[in-house]
Amino acid sequence: MKTAVVTGGASGIGLGIARRLRSNGFHVASLDLNPPADDDFAYRADVTEPEQIAEALTAIRGKLGPVTVLVNAAGVDGFKRFQNISFEEWQRVIDVNLNGVFHCVHAVLPDMLAAGWGRIVNISSSSTHSGQPFMTHYVSAKSAVNGLTKALALELGPSGITVNAVPPGFIDTPMLRKNEEARRLGGTVEDHIQRTPVRRVGTPEDIAAACAFLISEEAGYITGQILGVNGGRNT
Ligand code: NAP
């Protein structure tokens, strides 16, 4: 049985991915800031803190064995006019969304290299296709994640490891509902559904399905790709 780590696995998209991989027969551990106390496979780690990641991974390896699948879903957004973003706010968004991916890949890569097999999926954002006002820090970080995905795929291909990104668009999670409530979406979720070609909001399961495919054995010839899952909002 292969072992997968999903960052941000306690909520929204990460939770959907963790559930799907579990039902596909993987051991799944999640890394979160606030893991649920009743989940034996949820570990506390801030993805910006390499020591916390290392500590969690030691525990995960001890319980579930080497980690050969990594899904980077932990993320934070931010909405502010560019001139009002402080450098600290800028750095925190870059730190979680981009540097968190760096730290987590570094932490699991030795297991994948030793196995001669691995799957890395990075959850970026559809805002990298279109841009998004008031989210320059977030769009910059997520665009860099797409770049990292492409470059790392070329490096790790010869070692049997694929690296792909899934940029979600408009997925019904606590993050989306929080932004609807704060009136940051330029309308309600229902308004947006009318502007979405497939006429519905996306679900964590939609993203999980794409991840499950990219992680599967049959996706071994797919690497360095950015697979948009957005109901046709971005083509
Ligand atoms: P969510 O429900 O807020 O889940 C994000 C998860 O990441 C939470 O469990 C959160 O923990 C965790 N997290 C945040 N900072 C962390 C840190 N420093 N270390 C470890 N864990 C951390 O959001 P979501 O909508 O599922 O988003 C998942 C991913 O998809 C994110 O990368 C997001 O940018 C991306 N995305 C989402 C959408 C969408 O429409 N929902 C669109 C584009 C991209 P806490 O709750 O404890 O803070």
Side-chain angles (χ1 to χ4, degrees):
M1 218 172 183
K2 292 191 167 87
T3 296
V5 164
V6 180
T7 73
S11 176
I13 289 172
L15 181 60
I17 295 167
R19 285 183 175 148
R20 172 66 192 260
L21 294 184
R22 220 162 261 145
S23 79
N24 281 13
F26 290 84
H27 289 306
V28 182
S30 63
L31 294 190
D32 263 284
L33 283 181
N34 300 295
D38 59 352
D39 183 345
D40 290 343
F41 299 96
Y43 293 80
R44 199 203 164 274
D46 183 330
V47 296
T48 68
E49 298 289 343
E51 297 80 17
Q52 292 182 18
I53 298 167
E55 198 177 312
L57 273 164
T58 301
I60 293 166
R61 285 188 185 107
K63 197 168 182 174
L64 305 173
V67 176
T68 53
V69 176
L70 172 67
V71 181
N72 287 299
V76 287
D77 60 5
F79 283 82
K80 253 188 192 178
R81 210 167 275 282
F82 179 69
Q83 63 266 38
N84 295 335
I85 298 175
S86 68
F87 190 58
E88 288 68 31
E89 288 167 330
W90 174 272
Q91 273 190 313
R92 182 66 188 165
V93 171
I94 303 282
D95 218 14
V96 176
N97 292 296
L98 175 60
N99 297 339
V101 174
F102 172 88
H103 294 311
C104 291
V105 173
H106 259 212
V108 301
L109 203 47
D111 290 2
M112 296 183 183
L113 291 170
W117 189 95
R119 296 281 189 265
I120 299 171
V121 181
N122 298 319
I123 305 302
S124 58
S125 166
S126 65
S127 63
T128 61
H129 300 294
S130 57
Q132 190 70 32
F134 315 124
M135 297 187 83
T136 49
H137 39 8
Y138 180 79
V139 177
S140 300
K142 293 295 195 179
S143 298
V145 167
N146 286 348
L148 177 155
T149 299
K150 292 183 184 189
L152 191 60
L154 304 186
E155 266 186 55
L156 297 182
S159 304
I161 301 165
T162 67
V163 190
N164 292 288
V166 174
F170 195 52
I171 308 300
D172 201 351
T173 67
M175 186 186 271
L176 185 78
R177 292 295 172 177
K178 175 194 76 184
N179 289 329
E180 180 186 41
E181 214 173 292
R183 298 174 187 273
R184 290 169 179 154
L185 297 182
T188 62
V189 167
E190 195 49 47
D191 296 333
H192 276 275
I193 288 172
Q194 298 316 315
R195 285 180 240 143
T196 300
V198 305
R199 294 289 189 277
R200 69 172 174 85
V201 65
T203 63
E205 290 71 30
D206 290 319
I207 305 303
C211 291
F213 170 61
L214 291 171
I215 288 164
S216 71
E217 209 55 63
E218 63 191 343
Y221 199 55
I222 302 174
T223 195
Q225 303 304 309
I226 314 292
L227 175 59
V229 180
N230 54 49
R233 292 164 63 87
N234 304 91
T235 55

